[in-house]
Amino acid sequence: MCNMCGRAYRNQQGLRQHFINYPNHEALPEELDSKKEESGSPPASTQKKPASNAAEEMGAKANLKTEQRDKPVAPPNDYCDFCLGGEEENKKTGQPEKLVSCADCGRSGHPQCLQFTDVLAENVGKYHWQCIECKSCGICGTSDNDDQLLFCDDCDRGYHMYCIKPTMTTPPEGRWICVLCETAEESHS
């Protein structure tokens, strides 16, 4: 919860994004409550400002790296939640396989048990990955309206269809990648 305006978030990522979007909190909590009652909606100083470009919208890569260092990581389980094997053996394949662990709850899984592609398995190790139960939007930081979350096919980050620019009203058919992965693909070309 933000001590300046009282806005509540389900996780630290949402609160961190809140401080990125509203760094100067122009009103104190009492002022926010009275302005909200008068107009029936939050004051302009607390409404989300539109992102000026895609990189800013998705969070600058430097901010993602800072976020990874600052956010506490849950201790990882030493077994796969799907096959119950450890890193020494994936019980489905009989082969050793490294586990991927959720940064929020610590649940773990083998990339093959999670049905990750090779690209996806490589990319989830580069940031604080969230399992499907903990997944939140990479832009607003909330897990509300989970039926509106899209998952990037290259990194598994989640984004609300209404948070990305341009917004979407229906999920895309087939493969979808986020702006961060699209940018990374373009820089490697």
Side-chain angles (χ1 to χ4, degrees):
M1 177 177 280
C2 174
N3 293 332
M4 297 293 289
C5 69
R7 207 157 173 195
Y9 291 89
R10 285 180 147 178
N11 56 38
Q12 284 292 89
Q13 183 180 2
L15 183 61
R16 191 170 288 108
Q17 189 66 37
H18 171 77
F19 285 120
I20 291 168
N21 289 338
Y22 313 113
N24 296 324
H25 289 286
E26 297 161 3
L28 296 174
E30 307 84 55
E31 294 170 336
L32 290 174
D33 289 339
S34 64
K35 287 180 184 175
K36 187 174 182 176
E37 286 171 11
E38 291 168 12
S39 68
S41 64
S45 63
T46 63
Q47 291 176 353
K48 188 172 180 177
K49 297 170 183 122
S52 61
N53 63 43
E56 191 177 305
E57 171 194 321
M58 300 301 265
K61 290 183 182 182
N63 287 342
L64 291 173
K65 290 177 184 171
T66 302
E67 175 185 319
Q68 288 179 3
R69 284 193 302 267
D70 295 344
K71 185 177 180 181
V73 177
N77 292 345
D78 59 355
Y79 62 90
C80 174
D81 278 12
F82 299 93
C83 75
L84 303 178
E87 288 193 346
E88 67 284 346
E89 182 186 21
N90 176 327
K91 300 279 187 189
K92 290 182 180 178
T93 65
Q95 300 294 314
E97 186 177 5
K98 189 174 180 177
L99 291 167
V100 175
S101 299
C102 176
D104 290 351
C105 71
R107 287 187 183 121
S108 300
H110 295 109
Q112 286 190 334
C113 294
L114 291 163
Q115 299 178 349
F116 283 179
T117 63
D118 291 340
V119 170
L120 184 56
E122 180 183 336
N123 286 338
V124 296
K126 295 177 183 175
Y127 73 100
H128 285 341
W129 176 73
Q130 294 175 307
C131 70
I132 193 69
E133 298 297 324
C134 298
K135 191 80 68 191
S136 59
C137 175
I139 297 172
C140 72
T142 70
S143 55
D144 298 341
N145 301 319
D146 60 354
D147 61 324
Q148 296 287 307
L149 278 174
L150 295 175
F151 304 109
C152 176
D153 288 318
D154 278 0
C155 71
D156 200 42
R157 287 181 178 98
Y159 298 99
H160 287 117
M161 292 190 292
Y162 51 82
C163 287
I164 58 176
K165 301 293 182 222
T167 60
M168 293 183 190
T169 55
T170 58
E173 291 290 325
R175 184 172 152 73
W176 178 79
I177 62 171
C178 69
V179 171
L180 291 175
C181 291
E182 201 171 76
T183 305
E185 262 184 20
E186 289 170 4
S187 68
H188 289 356
S189 299

